Amino acid sequence: RGLLRELKKQILANASMSVSVDYDDTTIDGLNVVSLSRLPSVVLSGPKVSENRFFSTNAPHEDVVPGSSGLELLRRRPPFTVDLSFTITAASDRTVELLNLMAAVATFLNRNRWFALPRDPEDEDAGTVRWEMDPDGDFQTRLDGPDDVRAFTCGFVVRGFDIDEGLPLDLGKAV
C-alpha cells in the first residue's frame, strides 16, 4: 500500500487508483482493454506477484524484544519474497504524442534502476528502502486501430519485495 500511495503522489490530481484482487483485464478480439477516461492517458496496472527465491533470505531472523521476565529472543521465519510485475498502458489520439510518451517511459525505466521509498513516512531519520527495478519485455504498440486511438503497453518489475517480516518461530531467553 505504501508503494501505491507513493506512486499516486507522483501522478496527476485527476487520476484515480483502486485496489482490488478480483480485477481482470477485459479482452475484446484478443486484445486486453483498459478503461480510460480521456486522452492522452497513462494507466498503471498490477501488480502481478511471483515468488522470488534469489532475493529471499533463507536464514531465520532474530530480534531482542522485552518479555515478561526481561529481554527475550524472538526468532522469525525467513520472509516471503516476491517480484511485483506492473504494466503501463498509454493511449493518445495523436501518433507523435504517443511516441513522445513512449520515449519518456523508456527513458525513465532505463535511467532508474532502483525504486526507493521512505522506511517510515512519519520519520525522515529512518532512511529509505530500495528495490531493484527493471523493464520487463518489449514495448508493444498499436498505431493503426479501427478507432482513432493509438496505444502502447510495456512492463516493469520490482524485484525482491518482502511480503511479511517473517512469521514468529519461537520466543526464548536472550543469551
Side-chain angles (χ1 to χ4, degrees), residues 38-109:
R38 59 185 170 154
L39 298 175
S41 181
V42 178
V43 177
L44 177 68
S45 305
K48 291 182 182 176
V49 178
S50 58
E51 185 175 7
N52 182 322
R53 304 284 294 160
F54 181 78
F55 283 106
S56 66
T57 55
N58 293 325
H61 182 71
E62 298 178 343
D63 290 321
V64 177
V65 296
S68 58
S69 60
L71 294 178
E72 296 181 349
L73 195 60
L74 175 64
R75 292 182 186 89
R76 295 186 177 275
R77 296 182 195 278
F80 182 61
T81 305
V82 297
D83 289 343
L84 304 174
S85 299
F86 294 90
T87 301
I88 297 172
T89 303
S92 176
D93 53 358
R94 296 181 304 167
T95 303
V96 172
E97 186 174 54
L98 182 76
L99 294 175
N100 286 334
L101 279 171
M102 191 166 71
V105 169
T107 301
F108 175 81
L109 291 176

Side-chain angles (χ1 to χ4, degrees), residues 19-32:
V19 178
S20 175
V21 295
D22 60 352
Y23 173 78
D24 189 19
D25 291 335
T26 306
T27 304
I28 299 174
D29 297 329
L31 298 171
N32 286 340

Side-chain angles (χ1 to χ4, degrees), residues 10 36 43 90 94 96 102 109 129 135 139 144 148 150 153 155 159 163 166 170:
Q10 299 174 27
L36 305 172
V43 177
R94 296 181 304 167
V96 172
M102 191 166 71
L109 291 176
V129 180
F139 281 79
D144 58 349
D148 208 19
R150 291 117 172 104
T153 61
R159 301 189 190 284
I163 294 291
D170 65 356

